[in-house]
Amino acid sequence: MAGGMADLIPAWAGGLPADAPPRPGSPEYEAYAKRHEQQQSGAMTGPDAATSPSAEAVR
C-alpha cells in the first residue's frame, strides 16, 4: 500500500517527478521499456568509421 500511496504525493512535496519512468509491472512499463531499448540501441551505433571524414586523415 505504501508504494501506491507514494505515487500520489505531488512532486513539490517530495513525490515522484512528472518525468519519472513507470513502475515495472504497470501497463505503461512495457511500452516504456521498448522505447528505451530502441533509443539505447540507436545511441550505441555511431558513424561508420570507414566512411567518416576523419578516416581520410588516418590513412
Side-chain angles (χ1 to χ4, degrees), residues 2-57:
M5 293 299 291
D7 292 345
L8 301 175
I9 299 173
W12 60 265
L16 290 172
D19 61 348
R23 292 187 183 268
S26 67
E28 298 87 15
Y29 184 76
E30 297 270 338
Y32 169 79
K34 286 181 184 178
R35 275 195 321 268
H36 186 70
E37 183 179 314
Q38 288 173 350
Q39 288 174 351
Q40 290 297 325
S41 66
M44 292 296 212
T45 60
D48 185 13
T51 60
S52 174
S54 61
E56 293 298 320

